[in-house]
Amino acid sequence: MTSVAIVTGASSGIGAATARRLAAEGFHVLAAARRTDRLAGLVAEIEAAGGTAGAVACDVTSDESVAGLAAAAEAAPGPVTLLVNNAGGARGLDRVESGAIGDWQWMYDVNVLGTLRVTQALLPALEASRAGTIVIVSSTAGFTVYEGGGGYTAAKHAQTAIAGTLRLELCGRPVRVVEIDPGMVKTDEFGLVRFGGDADKASAAYAGVPEPLVAEDVADCIAWCATRPHHVNVDRLVVRPLAQAAQHKVHRVGL
Ligand SMILES: NC(=O)c1ccc[n+]([C@@H]2O[C@H](COP(=O)([O-])OP(=O)(O)OC[C@H]3O[C@@H](n4cnc5c(N)ncnc54)[C@H](OP(=O)(O)O)[C@@H]3O)[C@@H](O)[C@H]2O)c1
Protein backbone atom coordinates (compact mmCIF):
# COMPACT_ATOMS: atom_id res chain seq x y z
CA MET A 1 0.00 0.00 0.00
CA THR A 2 1.13 3.53 -0.69
CA SER A 3 2.55 5.32 2.34
CA VAL A 4 0.92 8.60 3.29
CA ALA A 5 2.90 11.76 4.04
CA ILE A 6 1.33 14.81 5.64
CA VAL A 7 2.90 18.19 5.01
CA THR A 8 1.71 21.28 6.90
CA GLY A 9 2.17 24.72 5.39
CA ALA A 10 2.04 23.12 1.94
CA SER A 11 0.46 26.11 0.19
CA SER A 12 3.79 27.84 -0.52
CA GLY A 13 7.57 27.75 -0.27
CA ILE A 14 9.28 24.83 1.42
CA GLY A 15 6.03 23.02 2.20
CA ALA A 16 4.80 23.07 -1.42
CA ALA A 17 8.21 21.94 -2.71
CA THR A 18 8.26 19.15 -0.12
CA ALA A 19 4.78 17.99 -1.08
CA ARG A 20 5.80 17.83 -4.77
CA ARG A 21 9.01 16.01 -3.97
CA LEU A 22 7.45 13.46 -1.64
CA ALA A 23 4.77 12.71 -4.23
CA ALA A 24 7.55 12.13 -6.77
CA GLU A 25 9.14 9.75 -4.24
CA GLY A 26 5.92 7.70 -4.27
CA PHE A 27 4.08 8.97 -1.19
CA HIS A 28 0.40 9.82 -1.25
CA VAL A 29 0.65 13.38 0.05
CA LEU A 30 -1.89 15.16 2.22
CA ALA A 31 -1.15 18.83 1.70
CA ALA A 32 -2.40 20.96 4.59
CA ALA A 33 -2.67 24.74 4.96
CA ARG A 34 -5.30 27.45 5.28
CA ARG A 35 -5.32 28.61 1.63
CA THR A 36 -7.22 25.82 -0.07
CA ASP A 37 -7.13 27.46 -3.52
CA ARG A 38 -3.35 27.12 -3.46
CA LEU A 39 -3.61 23.52 -2.28
CA ALA A 40 -6.01 22.64 -5.09
CA GLY A 41 -3.49 23.94 -7.62
CA LEU A 42 -0.71 21.96 -5.96
CA VAL A 43 -2.73 18.73 -5.97
CA ALA A 44 -3.55 19.21 -9.67
CA GLU A 45 0.15 19.75 -10.39
CA ILE A 46 1.14 16.61 -8.47
CA GLU A 47 -1.51 14.55 -10.24
CA ALA A 48 -0.48 15.88 -13.65
CA ALA A 49 3.04 14.69 -12.86
CA GLY A 50 1.74 11.19 -12.12
CA GLY A 51 1.57 11.41 -8.33
CA THR A 52 -1.33 11.27 -5.89
CA ALA A 53 -2.31 13.83 -3.28
CA GLY A 54 -5.19 15.36 -1.37
CA ALA A 55 -5.76 18.86 -0.03
CA VAL A 56 -6.80 19.42 3.58
CA ALA A 57 -7.85 22.82 4.89
CA CYS A 58 -6.01 23.12 8.17
CA ASP A 59 -5.15 25.92 10.56
CA VAL A 60 -2.51 24.53 12.92
CA THR A 61 -3.57 27.00 15.63
CA SER A 62 -7.02 25.39 15.89
CA ASP A 63 -7.75 22.14 17.77
CA GLU A 64 -10.84 21.54 15.66
CA SER A 65 -9.05 22.11 12.39
CA VAL A 66 -6.19 19.78 13.35
CA ALA A 67 -8.73 17.13 14.40
CA GLY A 68 -10.03 17.42 10.82
CA LEU A 69 -6.51 16.77 9.53
CA ALA A 70 -6.25 13.66 11.71
CA ALA A 71 -9.61 12.45 10.34
CA ALA A 72 -8.39 13.02 6.77
CA ALA A 73 -5.26 11.02 7.60
CA GLU A 74 -7.40 8.17 8.92
CA ALA A 75 -9.35 8.12 5.66
CA ALA A 76 -6.20 8.24 3.50
CA PRO A 77 -5.43 5.28 1.25
CA GLY A 78 -2.52 3.81 3.20
CA PRO A 79 -0.50 3.88 6.42
CA VAL A 80 0.59 7.32 7.63
CA THR A 81 4.37 7.03 7.84
CA LEU A 82 5.52 10.65 7.54
CA LEU A 83 4.55 13.95 9.10
CA VAL A 84 6.39 17.11 8.05
CA ASN A 85 5.73 19.92 10.53
CA ASN A 86 6.57 22.81 8.24
CA ALA A 87 3.89 25.47 8.87
CA GLY A 88 5.50 28.48 10.47
CA GLY A 89 7.26 31.73 9.90
CA ALA A 90 8.50 34.99 11.35
CA ARG A 91 6.78 38.28 12.08
CA GLY A 92 8.83 41.41 12.60
CA LEU A 93 12.51 42.13 13.08
CA ASP A 94 12.16 44.13 16.25
CA ARG A 95 14.46 44.27 19.22
CA VAL A 96 13.30 42.62 22.42
CA GLU A 97 12.73 46.03 24.02
CA SER A 98 10.18 46.98 21.35
CA GLY A 99 8.88 43.68 19.94
CA ALA A 100 5.11 43.47 19.50
CA ILE A 101 3.47 40.97 21.83
CA GLY A 102 1.05 40.05 19.03
CA ASP A 103 3.92 39.11 16.69
CA TRP A 104 5.58 36.98 19.36
CA GLN A 105 2.24 35.36 20.16
CA TRP A 106 1.66 34.52 16.47
CA MET A 107 5.15 33.04 16.10
CA TYR A 108 4.73 30.90 19.20
CA ASP A 109 1.22 29.78 18.22
CA VAL A 110 2.07 28.74 14.66
CA ASN A 111 5.62 27.40 14.96
CA VAL A 112 5.54 25.87 18.43
CA LEU A 113 1.98 25.08 19.46
CA GLY A 114 1.13 24.24 15.84
CA THR A 115 3.88 21.62 15.81
CA LEU A 116 2.74 20.31 19.19
CA ARG A 117 -0.93 20.12 18.20
CA VAL A 118 -0.34 18.41 14.84
CA THR A 119 2.23 15.99 16.28
CA GLN A 120 -0.10 14.96 19.10
CA ALA A 121 -2.95 14.43 16.65
CA LEU A 122 -0.96 12.32 14.18
CA LEU A 123 1.29 10.36 16.53
CA PRO A 124 -1.14 7.43 16.98
CA ALA A 125 -1.36 6.90 13.21
CA LEU A 126 2.41 7.24 12.78
CA GLU A 127 3.04 4.73 15.54
CA ALA A 128 0.43 2.33 14.15
CA SER A 129 2.33 2.28 10.85
CA ARG A 130 5.28 0.73 12.75
CA ALA A 131 7.60 2.89 10.60
CA GLY A 132 6.78 6.51 11.41
CA THR A 133 8.86 9.61 10.85
CA ILE A 134 8.20 13.06 12.27
CA VAL A 135 10.08 15.90 10.61
CA ILE A 136 10.20 19.26 12.35
CA VAL A 137 11.26 22.18 10.16
CA SER A 138 12.98 24.42 12.67
CA SER A 139 15.83 26.68 11.52
CA THR A 140 19.38 27.73 12.20
CA ALA A 141 17.44 30.23 14.36
CA GLY A 142 16.71 27.17 16.51
CA PHE A 143 20.24 27.26 17.89
CA THR A 144 21.53 30.77 17.14
CA VAL A 145 20.20 34.18 18.13
CA TYR A 146 20.57 37.46 16.28
CA GLU A 147 19.61 41.07 16.92
CA GLY A 148 16.00 41.69 16.00
CA GLY A 149 15.31 37.96 15.87
CA GLY A 150 14.26 37.47 19.50
CA GLY A 151 10.69 36.36 18.84
CA TYR A 152 11.51 34.10 15.91
CA THR A 153 14.60 32.56 17.50
CA ALA A 154 12.65 31.94 20.71
CA ALA A 155 9.98 30.09 18.75
CA LYS A 156 12.50 28.11 16.69
CA HIS A 157 14.53 27.25 19.82
CA ALA A 158 11.26 25.89 21.25
CA GLN A 159 10.64 23.76 18.14
CA THR A 160 14.18 22.42 18.43
CA ALA A 161 13.46 21.59 22.07
CA ILE A 162 10.33 19.70 21.03
CA ALA A 163 12.34 17.65 18.50
CA GLY A 164 14.99 16.69 21.06
CA THR A 165 12.49 15.92 23.80
CA LEU A 166 10.26 13.88 21.55
CA ARG A 167 13.18 11.77 20.31
CA LEU A 168 14.00 10.87 23.92
CA GLU A 169 10.40 10.17 24.80
CA LEU A 170 9.78 7.99 21.73
CA CYS A 171 12.95 5.94 22.15
CA GLY A 172 11.95 2.28 21.81
CA ARG A 173 8.85 3.08 19.78
CA PRO A 174 8.75 2.89 15.95
CA VAL A 175 8.75 6.63 15.27
CA ARG A 176 11.90 8.59 14.48
CA VAL A 177 12.24 12.34 14.87
CA VAL A 178 14.19 14.44 12.39
CA GLU A 179 14.96 18.14 12.79
CA ILE A 180 15.71 20.17 9.67
CA ASP A 181 17.51 23.46 10.27
CA PRO A 182 17.76 25.60 7.13
CA GLY A 183 19.69 28.85 6.96
CA MET A 184 18.77 31.43 4.35
CA VAL A 185 16.13 30.09 1.93
CA LYS A 186 14.74 32.36 -0.78
CA THR A 187 11.02 31.64 -0.78
CA ASP A 188 8.32 33.94 -2.13
CA GLU A 189 6.43 34.62 1.08
CA PHE A 190 8.64 34.17 4.14
CA GLY A 191 10.03 37.73 3.97
CA LEU A 192 6.68 39.23 2.98
CA VAL A 193 5.05 37.69 6.05
CA ARG A 194 7.94 38.84 8.23
CA PHE A 195 7.73 42.44 7.00
CA GLY A 196 3.95 42.79 6.75
CA GLY A 197 3.88 42.65 2.93
CA ASP A 198 6.78 45.10 2.35
CA ALA A 199 8.44 43.60 -0.76
CA ASP A 200 11.50 45.89 -0.60
CA LYS A 201 12.34 44.86 2.95
CA ALA A 202 11.63 41.24 2.10
CA SER A 203 14.02 41.18 -0.86
CA ALA A 204 16.75 43.15 0.96
CA ALA A 205 17.52 40.09 3.08
CA TYR A 206 18.75 38.26 -0.03
CA ALA A 207 20.44 41.26 -1.69
CA GLY A 208 23.72 40.32 -3.35
CA VAL A 209 23.67 36.75 -2.06
CA PRO A 210 24.88 34.75 -5.08
CA GLU A 211 22.79 31.65 -4.59
CA PRO A 212 20.56 31.46 -1.55
CA LEU A 213 18.95 28.09 -0.92
CA VAL A 214 15.61 27.57 -2.65
CA ALA A 215 12.63 25.60 -1.36
CA GLU A 216 13.56 22.57 -3.49
CA ASP A 217 16.94 22.34 -1.73
CA VAL A 218 15.24 21.96 1.63
CA ALA A 219 12.67 19.55 0.17
CA ASP A 220 15.60 17.48 -1.08
CA CYS A 221 17.04 17.31 2.46
CA ILE A 222 13.66 16.35 3.94
CA ALA A 223 13.12 13.66 1.30
CA TRP A 224 16.61 12.25 1.85
CA CYS A 225 16.10 11.96 5.61
CA ALA A 226 12.63 10.46 5.19
CA THR A 227 13.73 7.83 2.68
CA ARG A 228 16.68 6.40 4.66
CA PRO A 229 16.09 2.88 6.02
CA HIS A 230 13.87 3.28 9.06
CA HIS A 231 16.56 2.33 11.59
CA VAL A 232 18.62 5.35 10.41
CA ASN A 233 17.61 8.45 12.36
CA VAL A 234 19.10 11.68 11.07
CA ASP A 235 18.68 13.64 14.30
CA ARG A 236 19.37 17.07 12.86
CA LEU A 237 20.28 18.33 9.43
CA VAL A 238 21.68 21.88 9.23
CA VAL A 239 21.73 23.28 5.70
CA ARG A 240 22.82 26.72 4.51
CA PRO A 241 23.77 28.27 1.19
CA LEU A 242 27.48 28.29 0.44
CA ALA A 243 27.42 32.08 0.80
CA GLN A 244 26.24 31.90 4.41
CA ALA A 245 28.98 30.65 6.73
CA ALA A 246 26.99 31.66 9.81
CA GLN A 247 23.97 33.79 10.67
CA HIS A 248 26.16 36.91 10.83
CA LYS A 249 28.59 35.95 8.03
CA VAL A 250 26.98 36.25 4.60
CA HIS A 251 28.93 36.80 1.39
CA ARG A 252 27.17 39.47 -0.73
CA VAL A 253 28.30 40.54 -4.19
CA GLY A 254 28.08 44.05 -5.67
CA LEU A 255 26.71 45.91 -2.69
N1 LIG B 1 12.62 30.85 4.26
C1 LIG B 1 13.61 30.71 5.12
O1 LIG B 1 14.66 31.38 5.03
C2 LIG B 1 13.51 29.69 6.23
C3 LIG B 1 14.68 29.35 6.90
C4 LIG B 1 14.62 28.41 7.95
C5 LIG B 1 13.42 27.87 8.31
N2 LIG B 1 12.27 28.23 7.66
C6 LIG B 1 11.01 27.64 8.11
O2 LIG B 1 10.48 26.86 7.06
C7 LIG B 1 9.05 26.83 7.14
C8 LIG B 1 8.46 27.24 5.79
O3 LIG B 1 8.96 28.52 5.45
P1 LIG B 1 8.80 29.14 3.99
O4 LIG B 1 10.02 29.94 3.72
O5 LIG B 1 8.37 28.13 3.04
O6 LIG B 1 7.63 30.20 4.29
P2 LIG B 1 6.21 30.47 3.60
O7 LIG B 1 6.31 30.36 2.12
O8 LIG B 1 5.71 31.74 4.20
O9 LIG B 1 5.32 29.23 4.09
C9 LIG B 1 4.71 29.20 5.33
C10 LIG B 1 3.58 28.19 5.27
O10 LIG B 1 2.99 28.08 6.57
C11 LIG B 1 1.60 28.09 6.40
N3 LIG B 1 0.93 28.59 7.60
C12 LIG B 1 1.08 29.80 8.21
N4 LIG B 1 0.23 29.88 9.24
C13 LIG B 1 -0.46 28.72 9.28
C14 LIG B 1 -1.49 28.20 10.10
N5 LIG B 1 -2.00 28.92 11.13
N6 LIG B 1 -1.99 26.98 9.85
C15 LIG B 1 -1.51 26.25 8.82
N7 LIG B 1 -0.52 26.67 8.00
C16 LIG B 1 -0.02 27.90 8.24
C17 LIG B 1 1.31 28.96 5.20
O11 LIG B 1 0.09 28.55 4.57
P3 LIG B 1 -1.32 29.30 4.70
O12 LIG B 1 -1.04 30.75 4.84
O13 LIG B 1 -2.01 28.95 3.41
O14 LIG B 1 -1.99 28.68 5.89
C18 LIG B 1 2.48 28.61 4.29
O15 LIG B 1 2.16 27.52 3.46
C19 LIG B 1 8.68 27.73 8.31
O16 LIG B 1 8.51 26.96 9.47
C20 LIG B 1 9.91 28.63 8.45
O17 LIG B 1 10.04 29.15 9.75
C21 LIG B 1 12.29 29.13 6.62
Side-chain angles (χ1 to χ4, degrees):
M1 273 216 287
T2 310
S3 293
V4 175
I6 294 158
V7 181
T8 67
S11 60
S12 64
I14 294 168
T18 301
R20 277 189 217 102
R21 174 60 187 270
L22 293 175
E25 296 282 346
F27 286 93
H28 175 84
V29 175
L30 288 187
R34 294 167 303 174
R35 287 171 295 174
T36 48
D37 53 332
R38 295 282 200 101
L39 296 178
L42 176 70
V43 168
E45 211 184 302
I46 287 172
E47 288 174 346
T52 66
V56 185
C58 179
D59 179 344
V60 300
T61 67
S62 153
D63 288 343
E64 197 187 353
S65 190
V66 171
L69 176 61
E74 216 165 285
V80 178
T81 59
L82 176 59
L83 164 63
V84 182
N85 282 297
N86 166 76
R91 271 200 192 164
L93 194 61
D94 303 301
R95 297 166 64 87
V96 171
E97 61 192 303
S98 57
I101 300 283
D103 287 346
W104 283 56
Q105 181 84 59
W106 181 85
M107 289 187 274
Y108 200 81
D109 281 348
V110 179
N111 292 285
V112 186
L113 299 183
T115 294
L116 176 67
R117 192 175 279 112
V118 174
T119 300
Q120 286 180 341
L122 273 305
L123 188 52
L126 289 159
E127 188 161 16
S129 79
R130 308 297 303 160
T133 301
I134 296 170
V135 173
I136 294 181
V137 181
S138 181
S139 168
T140 50
F143 57 85
T144 313
V145 294
Y146 54 95
E147 290 141 295
Y152 185 57
T153 60
K156 289 302 188 186
H157 272 65
Q159 271 188 293
T160 290
I162 292 175
T165 307
L166 196 54
R167 194 176 303 112
L168 293 174
E169 291 174 354
L170 294 178
C171 184
R173 290 159 67 182
V175 183
R176 59 186 173 178
V177 180
V178 178
E179 177 187 340
I180 304 286
D181 292 333
M184 182 184 280
V185 190
K186 195 167 192 290
T187 55
D188 293 340
E189 297 189 3
F190 181 84
L192 287 175
V193 172
R194 177 163 226 166
F195 296 112
D198 186 327
D200 291 338
K201 279 190 184 168
S203 60
Y206 310 104
V209 179
E211 281 180 293
L213 295 180
V214 293
E216 287 71 21
D217 295 320
V218 182
D220 190 35
C221 294
I222 293 171
W224 181 78
C225 292
T227 55
R228 292 314 85 208
H230 195 253
H231 69 283
V232 179
N233 194 147
V234 181
D235 283 7
R236 167 185 267 186
L237 194 157
V238 179
V239 55
R240 303 181 206 258
L242 178 59
Q244 186 186 33
Q247 220 83 352
H248 64 281
K249 181 78 178 169
V250 180
H251 176 61
R252 296 180 193 266
V253 180
L255 291 185

